[in-house]
Amino acid sequence: IRRKEKLAMPHFSFYAADTPDRPAYIMAGSGQVVTYSELDRISNQIAHLLRASGVQRGDHIAMMMKNCPEFLQVAQAANRAGIIFTPISTHLKEEESAYIITNCKAKLFIASAELADVATEAAAAAAGLTRCLSVGGDIAGFEALDEQLADLPVTPIVDECLGAPMLYSSGTTGKPKGVYWAPHAESIHAEHALSGSVGAFFGFDVNTIYLSPAPLYHAAPLHYNLMVLGLGGTSLIMERFDPEYSLKLVERYKVTHSQWVPIMFVRMLKLPEASRTRYDLSSMKCAIHAAAPCPVDVKEAMIEWWGPVIVEYYSGSEGNGFTIIDSANWLTHKGSVGQAIIGEPRILDENGEVLGPGEVGDVYFANSRPFEYFDEPEKTKKAFNEQGWSTMGDMGYLDKDGFLYLTDRKNFTIITGGVNVYPAEIEGLLIAHDKVADVAVFGIPHTEFGEEVMAVVQPLDWSDANDETEAELIEWMRTRLSTVKVPRKIDFLEQLPRMDNGKLYKRRLQEAYRAAE
């Protein structure tokens, strides 16, 4: 893999002075445009408000916000005030949200009015908060952000310094953990930590029109939008994902770059043929995807449809490793997530010994920047081995060329009759069936085999949720999978509990089924 020339990245305020009327970002649903000069002015005011609220350099704030104009304004204010900011999933409940607010030691909490019920209870239950602010409307007990900015300076605070986001793991296998990285530089004019590697590979520059269909509280949408803004490009932010509207936006704004998760690909591919072929997508130079395993059939169909612009990567909030693969390399290494550009992948067995090509084990990364789980020394320690190599909890293997292939999360591996079964393989097959919109596969207890394979399917048409479809799907899999991998039973749900970053709350499904045994 060849890296493109390293990018220089001034602060977005450079473009506020140089091209003040250039759109920094556009809200796709409303069409609201926030120019670089507006972003600079409002983020300065919010930085002053943070200081006036007693939030100093190195302090923490939390934000539970929908995709809205204020999200990036608050993020950029924190980034220029030396503050650690934690976006919280808008799908979490009161107890989960309060846990994160308390755990990250937030002094200030900002929430969207649409989330008022959860926000008020979470704020009341959390410890350490000194101020709560609302955006997009009123929340009882919160102060409206826009009303607090009216008389504040639009010029920078006197002690500008670089802040950083602190994102929490999704909590699919336990309580969420805050991934802490200290700001990588002192000056706000320092380039983004990933700009010279990831940003350069993707080709982000001043001409980028970046479509962001996922929630900004996730790592990739947040970091990539910040990179685009630092380079003077324009982000197009969807308030919520809609498959056909996404295609319409690509045509209307001549989108050059975009970022997706596999379930979005699936939903676009399952649109009626007339809808899929209606839009001109020729402006797209780079369509980035990650966050969950992408079935081979889905990836092949996307490359056939969009051309060789699909780029996949594997990483996590921990940032301890990063692999990447373009369409050309993927077509000769189907199923791979690529070669490493950050860290050096190692595959280890259960005894910590390095495995050879083709052997499945735990995926570790050597020689990468260390991270920590905030205020969780024991959990941090468990993520590293004696050599200082770290893992994100995935399993996979390397081929002889150094391309990494993932099999599944270690915690989701099913052991049935002593055989390891990886749910991602079965899910990747089932999602290709014409009657399946989404699927989750996991293990449930079995008295003889220890575990058995269970599948829960979200049908494309709810009228197909019946015994005949279950029998059809099981028989269909028997002709394509070994017997041990075929689910013994399939249940149906109208909606699977999938997060907006494409990951399933599989643990919740699994726990519900195990409790029913």
Side-chain angles (χ1 to χ4, degrees), residues 127-141:
L129 287 176
T130 59
R131 193 170 193 179
C132 295
L133 299 165
S134 67
V135 299
D138 296 328
I139 300 178

Side-chain angles (χ1 to χ4, degrees), residues 6-295:
K6 190 175 182 180
L7 303 172
M9 176 177 278
H11 192 251
F12 74 88
S13 58
F14 168 86
Y15 301 99
D18 189 54
T19 52
D21 297 328
R22 178 183 300 186
Y25 54 93
I26 303 167
M27 302 306 299
S30 67
Q32 180 180 347
V33 176
V34 176
T35 66
Y36 272 92
S37 61
E38 289 173 320
L39 178 59
D40 189 43
R41 172 176 55 81
I42 297 171
S43 64
N44 277 329
Q45 289 180 305
I46 297 173
H48 281 284
L49 178 63
L50 292 171
R51 287 289 187 264
S53 303
V55 184
Q56 305 299 328
R57 175 179 181 173
D59 287 340
H60 295 240
I61 66 171
M63 46 201 287
M64 181 185 284
M65 300 166 68
K66 294 280 191 176
N67 279 12
C68 59
E70 295 88 352
F71 194 111
L72 289 174
Q73 293 164 2
V74 172
Q76 293 289 21
N79 254 346
R80 68 194 308 170
I83 289 164
I84 311 302
F85 62 100
T86 290
I88 299 173
S89 168
T90 58
H91 294 289
L92 297 185
K93 302 301 182 184
E94 295 85 351
E95 183 179 344
E96 298 168 303
S97 303
Y99 172 81
I100 292 176
I101 295 169
T102 301
N103 184 261
C104 77
K105 303 186 186 303
K107 287 187 173 182
L108 183 141
F109 177 45
I110 306 175
S112 291
E114 293 176 68
L115 306 169
D117 290 345
V118 173
T120 51
E121 294 193 32
L129 287 176
T130 59
R131 193 170 193 179
C132 295
L133 299 165
S134 67
V135 299
D138 296 328
I139 300 178
F142 286 52
E143 302 169 275
L145 175 65
D146 56 354
E147 294 177 5
Q148 307 307 309
L149 303 182
D151 299 321
L152 292 175
V154 298
T155 52
I157 57 176
V158 295
D159 59 339
E160 278 193 322
C161 53
L162 191 62
M166 186 174 82
L167 298 157
Y168 273 69
S169 66
S170 57
T172 53
T173 57
K175 280 193 176 297
K177 304 180 290 292
V179 181
Y180 178 68
W181 293 83
H184 68 281
E186 176 77 16
S187 171
I188 65 168
H189 297 282
E191 64 178 22
H192 191 284
L194 298 177
S195 66
S197 52
V198 178
F201 191 94
F202 294 153
F204 288 156
D205 61 23
V206 71
N207 297 310
T208 294
I209 307 295
Y210 174 70
L211 177 61
S212 185
L216 293 171
Y217 59 73
H218 288 304
L222 177 60
H223 282 293
Y224 295 166
N225 277 292
L226 292 177
M227 271 198 278
V228 168
L229 293 176
L231 287 164
T234 297
S235 290
L236 183 61
I237 298 168
M238 297 184 72
E239 288 85 347
R240 60 191 58 82
F241 172 70
D242 176 87
E244 185 170 356
Y245 192 55
S246 300
L247 303 177
K248 185 176 182 178
L249 290 170
V250 173
E251 178 181 77
R252 179 189 299 173
Y253 290 95
K254 293 182 170 51
V255 167
T256 62
H257 294 71
S258 55
Q259 187 260 326
W260 314 86
V261 296
I263 193 64
M264 293 177 178
F265 284 166
V266 170
R267 289 173 183 170
M268 289 188 288
L269 286 165
K270 294 197 175 186
L271 287 169
E273 183 69 15
S275 299
R276 291 210 300 117
T277 58
R278 181 177 300 162
Y279 304 100
D280 180 3
L281 310 179
S282 61
S283 62
M284 188 76 70
K285 297 178 180 178
C286 182
I288 306 157
H289 77 94
C294 188

Side-chain angles (χ1 to χ4, degrees), residues 466-485:
N466 52 49
D467 293 343
E468 290 76 14
T469 301
E470 179 187 13
E472 176 187 339
L473 293 175
I474 289 175
E475 183 59 32
W476 185 76
M477 283 186 287
R478 281 178 178 155
T479 64
R480 293 163 173 82
L481 290 173
S482 64
T483 303
V484 71
K485 298 176 183 179

Side-chain angles (χ1 to χ4, degrees), residues 96 409 425:
E96 298 168 303
R409 296 285 295 176
E425 178 187 4

